Amino acid sequence: MATDYLGHYSPEIQAQVAQLQAQGKLGAYLLKRHPDIHQIRSDRALYEYTMALKNEYLRQSAPLAKVCFDDKITLSHHALGLHTYAARRQGYKIKSKNEIRISSKLKCVPEAFLRMLVVHELAHLREKEHNKAFYKLCQYMEPDYHQLEFELRIYLTLADAGEDPYQA
């Protein structure tokens, strides 16, 4: 049901999504907006993609130790990506390590959805909480951030219902 992923949207929006899904038009909407899936399949390619975005927008932020697709990230985590930060003390120094893990479920989605999620996780390098500054940073890196988040939620709604428009 649409409310699983669209629960914080207005009842009117949820009703529109449910109606389009019932009419079988929701997948066509996504395919019209985003007809092609990205070609980033390996951890190395994902790392390079993420670092290009980081170098463009967050050059002064903390370094990334690892970026990878992760089979263990599922929707039961209520996440499609995870940013982890570990600080370790080594003598008098504190060493920090940042990692970004993206759900393997996003290997066959449009590039815009992957970009939105990578931008989200990169924003956590500067802003740990989901606050106004966090979303402002997301929009700086991806001006269509909120629309893409909404469309990703629509995609997840369809995928959960077994109606994934990007599966051949």
Side-chain angles (χ1 to χ4, degrees):
M1 183 66 199
T3 57
D4 292 341
Y5 300 106
L6 303 172
H8 68 280
Y9 290 93
S10 71
E12 293 81 16
I13 296 288
Q14 292 180 38
Q16 283 179 323
V17 170
Q19 182 180 11
L20 287 172
Q21 186 177 10
Q23 294 171 348
K25 295 180 181 177
L26 206 51
Y29 164 79
L30 284 181
L31 286 170
K32 184 176 181 186
R33 295 263 305 146
H34 309 283
D36 301 314
I37 61 175
H38 67 80
Q39 297 303 311
I40 300 166
R41 299 286 183 263
S42 69
D43 290 345
R44 177 90 179 141
L46 180 62
Y47 178 83
E48 290 170 0
Y49 179 81
T50 303
M51 289 306 294
L53 286 170
K54 180 186 180 300
N55 290 337
E56 183 175 351
Y57 296 105
L58 299 173
R59 192 166 301 187
Q60 300 297 318
S61 64
L64 285 171
K66 185 177 188 177
V67 178
C68 64
F69 285 110
D70 191 337
D71 293 330
K72 295 176 185 151
I73 298 176
T74 63
L75 297 178
S76 62
H77 287 101
H78 299 288
L80 290 172
L82 295 172
H83 167 256
T84 57
Y85 171 81
R88 292 182 184 84
R89 187 172 173 179
Q90 293 180 341
Y92 293 106
K93 293 184 180 180
I94 295 179
K95 300 268 186 170
S96 64
K97 184 172 145 180
N98 288 287
E99 295 182 357
I100 292 177
R101 296 174 180 275
I102 304 293
S103 174
S104 295
K105 294 182 183 304
L106 295 180
K107 280 188 175 180
C108 295
V109 297
E111 188 270 337
F113 294 172
L114 180 66
R115 179 183 171 95
M116 185 277 309
L117 194 59
V118 168
V119 160
H120 181 99
E121 299 307 328
L122 282 171
H124 280 303
L125 293 175
R126 287 229 180 116
E127 296 290 333
K128 302 301 181 209
E129 303 297 320
H130 293 124
N131 55 27
K132 191 173 185 176
F134 174 85
Y135 288 109
K136 187 175 180 180
L137 181 57
C138 287
Q139 281 192 287
Y140 165 71
M141 292 188 281
E142 175 51 64
D144 289 335
Y145 177 83
H146 293 294
Q147 179 65 32
L148 292 171
E149 180 184 18
F150 175 69
E151 290 171 350
L152 178 59
R153 290 173 180 275
I154 289 174
Y155 165 74
L156 294 171
T157 298
L158 286 171
D160 255 17
E163 303 170 28
D164 187 336
Y166 298 105
Q167 295 298 316

